[in-house]
Amino acid sequence: MDVVRELQNPDQGWMQRYEVVQELGDCFASVGEYENARRCYEKAAWLEPDEAGPYVGTGVIELQQGRVEDAEVAFRVALRLDAGSSRAHAGLAMIAQQTGRHREAFEAYLKSLELDSNNLTALLGLFQVSCQMGTFSQVIHYLKVYLQMHPGDCSVMFCLAALCARDGQDRQAVELLRDILSLEPEHTDARNLLEEMEHKAAHVNQE
């Protein structure tokens, strides 16, 4: 598909709709066709100058290509257009995390999740930063909120179990690990952590 020709052709009415062009850009970005994605986002921004979506998309592809400064500019433009963009806050959080500004990343991930508790990128980013900082209570809350909406997500369940274990909430960690193994009996990490915790509990009981 010649995206440039399609985008520039005034006879292609469907390519003059913001939603179509924006979604096409997201599709190209998801498969790594960044130049086509960029052209779509530029066209989408021209069609709807006040929409944050094209700038969020641009920020994502700039970040994927290692252009951190350009990504930050794009995310900040998105936030000027829409201060409630969860994805833009998550993008700035990822940049802060990559550049070692963990406290700033933590706050930006929290803001992203306050706006959209279903943002898995922000949730897992907050998990990583929390482990680096040793701060668990807030990410535990958002992991629980997410699991209320997605109760069978074993990846998130394991993150929550690991944090509970590190935070001294051993009983809840064990319950989560057993739930994971009932859903995925071959989940090696969950099995190993459960064995470790059961061994720890047995040792404590012997003392």
Side-chain angles (χ1 to χ4, degrees), residues 89-115:
H89 283 288
L92 290 177
M94 286 190 287
I95 292 171
Q97 183 180 358
Q98 286 185 14
T99 53
R101 294 172 284 150
H102 294 148
R103 171 54 61 181
E104 186 177 334
F106 183 85
E107 296 297 334
Y109 281 132
L110 276 183
K111 181 64 176 176
S112 176
L113 288 165
E114 287 170 5
L115 293 164

Side-chain angles (χ1 to χ4, degrees), residues 21 68 78 84 87 89 103 108 120 126 162 167 195 206:
V21 179
V68 176
R87 292 181 65 204
H89 283 288
R103 171 54 61 181
L120 185 58
L126 184 65
D167 200 38
E195 289 176 357
Q206 290 174 357

Side-chain angles (χ1 to χ4, degrees), residues 100-107 109 125-136 138 166:
R101 294 172 284 150
H102 294 148
R103 171 54 61 181
E104 186 177 334
F106 183 85
E107 296 297 334
Y109 281 132
L126 184 65
F127 169 75
Q128 293 169 350
V129 173
S130 295
C131 289
Q132 292 166 335
M133 295 174 61
T135 303
F136 305 124
Q138 288 171 298
R166 293 185 64 170

Side-chain angles (χ1 to χ4, degrees), residues 25-119:
D26 292 342
C27 289
F28 279 128
S30 70
V31 296
E33 294 191 23
Y34 297 130
E35 288 310 310
N36 282 336
R38 189 189 313 280
R39 294 186 183 105
C40 289
Y41 292 141
E42 288 172 354
K43 174 71 171 185
W46 179 80
L47 289 169
E48 292 289 347
D50 295 329
E51 286 287 340
Y55 297 97
V56 173
T58 299
V60 170
I61 62 176
E62 296 291 10
L63 198 55
Q64 290 285 346
Q65 295 180 287
R67 294 195 279 264
V68 176
E69 292 182 0
D70 292 338
E72 184 166 358
V73 169
F75 289 131
R76 293 198 182 281
V77 171
L79 285 178
R80 283 201 298 271
L81 294 170
D82 178 9
S85 171
S86 174
R87 292 181 65 204
H89 283 288
L92 290 177
M94 286 190 287
I95 292 171
Q97 183 180 358
Q98 286 185 14
T99 53
R101 294 172 284 150
H102 294 148
R103 171 54 61 181
E104 186 177 334
F106 183 85
E107 296 297 334
Y109 281 132
L110 276 183
K111 181 64 176 176
S112 176
L113 288 165
E114 287 170 5
L115 293 164
D116 179 11
S117 58
N118 204 33
N119 188 328

